């Protein structure tokens, strides 16, 4: 049927999972980028933090990867119509972290607050096989933890429409041992195949290959974004904006000429070295006629 042909169209590549070397996709991206087959241009944030809010536009304010440090960021979050958080708001998804986050996000004035979980929100993924979870994380997390977040709207493989703007959110990513893990290739692509063609603003936790996905380890640079997510975005969904986080090293905005890609990671580093360093990223979507 239709979904089969759609799948063939986007499943142009299968990448063997190769965690923490990631070389196959780094070389693949280099080849695509050098030959001009794929475009990635670094651009400034679409809207400056002190720009006024316009009546005929919807102001989005994007953050991600606050890892328990939202309180510190609160004074630096500009107002807007829709606040989005692309996951990793906690470190382990524990109850007290969730209660704290809920209280803090509740202080913000934005009329809409859309949140997706990240890999650190242990327990949010109802389908998680606990026997596959890293032994270190075994006793952490909160089952159905999203129920504690009463001051925002948590979406998972779900579309929400605000002022006629279609926002779709999904948390799946290729980092093993954590919540919402799926191997690269067909298992992740199955999740990307759920994203509707009509999506205007796509929210994921992981970046796609080539945009906001550059990891630095000593002197090595490699790209860890998902190739099938890039294919899905460029060949099928073509959203106006794609917001994500997860790769703390590559905050900023890029474009391929069709979609604006936003890595909204707020924190840099990991573990005890996590620090709030990056500002929220803002963009406007013109109101459709009738809204
Ligand atoms: P987090 O643990 O907050 O999800 O991710 C933190 C950091 O882990 C990222 O900034 C990045 O350095 C690293 N990381 C996340 N996902 C991947 C991946 O798929 N491959 C590699 N090599 N590193 C990753
Ligand atoms: Mn579309
Ligand atoms: Mn993170
Ligand atoms: Mn993450």
């Amino acid at each position: 049927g239709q979904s089969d042909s759609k799948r063939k169209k986007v499943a142009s590549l299968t990448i063997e999972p190769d965690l923490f070397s990631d070389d196959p996709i780094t070389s693949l991206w280099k080849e695509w980028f050098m030959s001009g087959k794929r475009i990635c241009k670094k651009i400034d944030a679409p809207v400056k933090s002190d720009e006024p809010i316009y009546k005929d536009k919807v102001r989005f304010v994007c953050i991600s990867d606050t890892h328990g440090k939202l309180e510190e960021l609160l004074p630096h979050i500009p107002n807007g119509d829709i606040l989005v958080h692309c996951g990793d708001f906690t470190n382990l998804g524990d109850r007290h972290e969730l209660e704290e986050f809920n209280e803090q996000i509740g202080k913000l004035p934005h009329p809409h607050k859309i949140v997706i979980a990240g890999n650190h929100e242990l327990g949010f993924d109802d389908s998680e096989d606990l026997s596959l979870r890293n032994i270190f994380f075994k006793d952490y997390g909160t089952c159905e933890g999203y129920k504690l977040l009463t001051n925002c709207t948590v979406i998972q493989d779900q579309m929400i429409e605000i002022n006629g703007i279609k926002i779709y959110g999904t948390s799946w990513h290729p980092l093993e041992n954590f919540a919402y893990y799926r191997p690269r290739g067909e298992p992740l692509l199955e999740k990307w195949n759920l994203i509707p063609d009509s999506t205007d603003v796509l929210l994921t936790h992981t970046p796609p290959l080539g945009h906001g996905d550059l990891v630095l380890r000593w002197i090595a640079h490699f790209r860890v974004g998902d190739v099938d997510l890039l294919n899905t975005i460029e060949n099928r969904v073509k959203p106006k904006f794609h917001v994500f986080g997860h790769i703390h090293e590559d905050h900023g905005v890029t474009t391929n000429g069709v979609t604006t890609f936003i890595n909204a990671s707020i924190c840099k580093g990991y573990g005890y070295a996590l620090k709030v360093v990056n500002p929220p990223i803002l963009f406007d979507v013109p109101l459709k006629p009738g809204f």
Side-chain angles (χ1 to χ4, degrees):
Q2 204 193 357
S3 68
D4 268 1
S5 61
K6 226 171 235 173
R7 175 161 309 184
K8 275 196 198 98
K9 205 168 89 188
V10 290
S12 53
L13 263 162
T14 303
I15 300 294
E16 292 299 315
D18 193 2
L19 200 72
F20 298 112
S21 85
D22 299 287
D23 192 60
I25 51 174
T26 304
S27 345
L28 177 70
W29 173 258
K30 268 188 197 155
E31 199 184 303
W32 277 349
F33 185 72
M34 293 307 207
S35 67
K37 269 190 198 146
R38 301 283 173 136
I39 295 166
C40 173
K41 201 175 154 239
K42 267 219 175 265
I43 56 172
D44 291 336
V47 166
K48 293 205 175 76
S49 64
D50 57 355
E51 190 147 335
I53 297 169
Y54 306 104
K55 275 208 166 110
D56 57 344
K57 288 177 182 173
V58 176
R59 168 70 46 87
F60 281 76
V61 179
C62 308
I63 59 175
S64 190
D65 296 77
T66 48
H67 287 287
K69 297 182 185 296
L70 181 61
E71 183 76 40
E72 198 182 322
L73 186 71
L74 286 180
H76 310 288
I77 303 180
N79 201 1
D81 301 293
I82 305 178
L83 177 81
V84 307
H85 193 307
C86 287
D88 283 3
F89 34 92
T90 69
N91 289 299
L92 293 160
D94 277 346
R95 176 172 285 270
H96 77 274
E97 289 188 287
L98 297 172
E99 286 167 350
E100 208 174 82
F101 175 76
N102 190 49
E103 192 191 313
Q104 292 162 353
I105 201 167
K107 293 180 191 168
L108 288 165
H110 309 68
H112 304 278
K113 299 164 193 170
I114 312 299
V115 171
I116 64 168
N119 50 297
H120 280 261
E121 276 69 70
L122 301 174
F124 273 54
D125 171 9
D126 295 329
S127 70
E128 187 185 4
D129 181 348
L130 291 173
S131 70
L132 298 178
R133 193 189 278 177
N134 188 303
I135 190 90
F136 180 74
F137 297 141
K138 266 276 174 314
D139 300 322
Y140 295 95
T142 308
C143 283
E144 301 189 323
Y146 46 83
K147 288 186 175 164
L148 295 172
L149 304 186
T150 52
N151 293 328
C152 55
T153 306
V154 182
I155 55 173
Q156 175 49 44
D157 295 320
Q158 232 173 315
M159 174 86 93
I160 182 168
E161 198 175 318
I162 300 172
N163 290 325
I165 301 166
K166 292 181 166 140
I167 304 164
Y168 184 88
T170 180
S171 295
W172 304 99
H173 63 81
L175 188 60
E176 246 176 306
N177 300 317
F178 287 90
Y180 294 106
Y181 164 69
R182 286 289 180 277
R184 296 176 192 272
E186 200 59 43
L188 264 184
L189 180 58
E190 264 175 38
K191 302 298 184 184
W192 311 142
N193 282 339
L194 301 173
I195 306 169
D197 289 0
S198 60
T199 303
D200 297 309
V201 178
L202 176 63
L203 313 179
T204 62
H205 183 59
T206 180
L209 176 61
H211 297 267
D213 72 331
L214 195 62
V215 171
L216 313 174
R217 286 287 150 78
W218 299 101
I219 54 163
H221 291 50
F222 46 90
R223 297 209 169 261
V224 299
D226 189 59
V227 65
D228 289 303
L229 180 56
L230 181 72
N231 287 338
T232 299
I233 288 168
E234 292 199 331
N235 301 339
R236 182 172 68 78
V237 181
K238 301 172 182 152
K240 288 179 198 76
F241 293 91
H242 177 204
V243 191
F244 50 86
H246 186 49
I247 301 306
H248 302 171
E249 296 88 339
D250 211 1
H251 171 269
V253 189
T254 58
T255 179
N256 62 2
V258 174
T259 299
T260 300
F261 297 87
I262 296 174
N263 179 331
S265 293
I266 293 298
C267 285
K268 242 197 178 137
Y270 29 84
Y272 291 110
L274 274 165
K275 265 181 82 173
V276 171
V277 291
N278 296 314
I281 298 180
L282 281 49
F283 66 87
D284 286 344
V285 175
L287 270 178
K288 293 176 184 175
F291 285 95

